[in-house]
Amino acid sequence: EIAMTQSPATLPVSPGERATLSCRASQSVSTDLAWYQQKPGQAPRLLIYGASTRATGIPARFSGSGSGTEFTLTISSLQSEDFAVYYCQQYKNWPRTFGQGTKVDIK
Amino acid sequence: EVQMLESGGGLVQAGGSLRLSCAASGFTFRSYAMSWVRQTPGKGLEWLSTIGGSGVSTYYADSVKGRFTISRDNSKNTLYLQMNSLRAEDTAIYYCARGSDEYYHFWSDYWGQGTLVTVSS
């Protein structure tokens, strides 16, 4: 099983600032990685797949990068609606596995 | 508009059974793999099971293999999860999710709103 580790657990950021979230895989997943956003009381929403491709309707301020074992989700200028929990997920192998999440908090 | 609506959650005693349903609309159901994912405060998001578009191929997490069964009825656009021998640690919100393709469900592009399952010991 591929373990996904996200850091930090909590990221305090001021509105308008840049946020950088990390995700590390225990073995290479190539670019078979997705990012999701989840707000309280809501289901996860797909942001990024293929490590760097934005899903339909996702604003350009969200960008993903990385390959192999190291990945980054960057939110270039945080808007109020971006304060949420973000999860990475690998789909290289079964079982599909998620990171434990990074909560982006208001600083 | 793609929509998925889960139902069937509730309170059940340990050792009991439940069947979750996920009614889908707004897309050609048989053309997509579908999965169940659960979420607990302690363990975060956990993928449980995937079924291919035709219903032939299924995949399970070790934590539920032998206890849970995924199935689908493409004539009713509905996904199911039969959960047997439930344990306290199965307490979670259960989501159905649409896969990226017909076969392997690489990523989930749409999710239902979730249904809460509580297993009492």
Side-chain angles (χ1 to χ4, degrees):
Chain A
E1 174 172 321
I2 299 176
M4 306 302 292
T5 303
Q6 292 185 242
S7 61
T10 303
L11 181 62
V13 183
S14 298
E17 285 188 341
R18 182 187 197 90
T20 303
L21 291 66
S22 295
C23 174
R24 174 177 292 177
S26 61
Q27 64 189 74
S28 177
V29 299
S30 184
T31 55
D32 294 343
L33 185 106
W35 288 94
Y36 301 90
Q37 176 195 66
Q38 187 177 34
K39 298 178 181 179
Q42 296 184 16
R45 177 175 73 140
L46 177 68
L47 296 176
I48 300 282
Y49 60 90
S52 61
T53 302
R54 278 189 303 277
T56 302
I58 301 303
R61 65 180 180 272
F62 291 92
S63 63
S65 63
S67 65
T69 62
E70 301 285 341
F71 300 90
T72 300
L73 175 69
T74 301
I75 311 171
S76 59
S77 176
L78 265 153
Q79 306 299 301
S80 57
E81 62 266 31
D82 301 335
F83 291 98
V85 180
Y86 294 83
Y87 296 94
C88 60
Q89 177 231 322
Q90 67 81 21
Y91 49 88
K92 180 70 172 175
N93 287 351
W94 300 100
R96 308 310 192 207
T97 46
F98 293 87
Q100 79 281 15
T102 290
K103 184 178 183 181
V104 177
D105 249 343
I106 299 175
K107 189 173 183 181
Chain B
E1 180 189 5
V2 172
Q3 290 191 329
M4 292 175 299
L5 184 63
E6 301 96 336
S7 60
L11 177 64
V12 62
Q13 286 192 326
S17 298
L18 274 180
R19 187 174 86 153
L20 305 184
S21 299
C22 170
S25 61
F27 63 100
T28 305
F29 185 67
R30 65 180 179 274
S31 295
Y32 291 87
M34 298 290 294
S35 294
W36 289 97
V37 177
R38 69 185 177 188
Q39 185 168 33
T40 62
K43 289 191 72 176
L45 292 167
E46 181 185 13
W47 168 82
L48 298 179
S49 184
T50 294
I51 186 167
S54 67
V56 171
S57 299
T58 58
Y59 307 85
Y60 293 94
D62 286 346
S63 59
V64 303
K65 197 176 297 182
R67 299 189 300 125
F68 291 9
T69 302
I70 193 170
S71 62
R72 64 193 295 161
D73 185 337
N74 286 344
S75 69
K76 296 181 179 179
N77 290 350
T78 302
L79 174 72
Y80 302 101
L81 186 68
Q82 177 67 43
M83 305 187 295
N84 299 331
S85 303
L86 282 161
R87 308 165 178 165
E89 55 264 35
D90 294 319
T91 295
I93 298 171
Y94 285 71
Y95 295 100
C96 64
R98 190 182 85 164
S100 50
D101 63 288
E102 183 177 351
Y103 301 105
Y104 300 113
H105 196 139
F106 296 117
W107 60 85
S108 300
D109 58 2
Y110 288 95
W111 298 64
Q113 88 293 345
T115 187
L116 177 63
V117 171
T118 303
V119 184
S120 66
S121 52

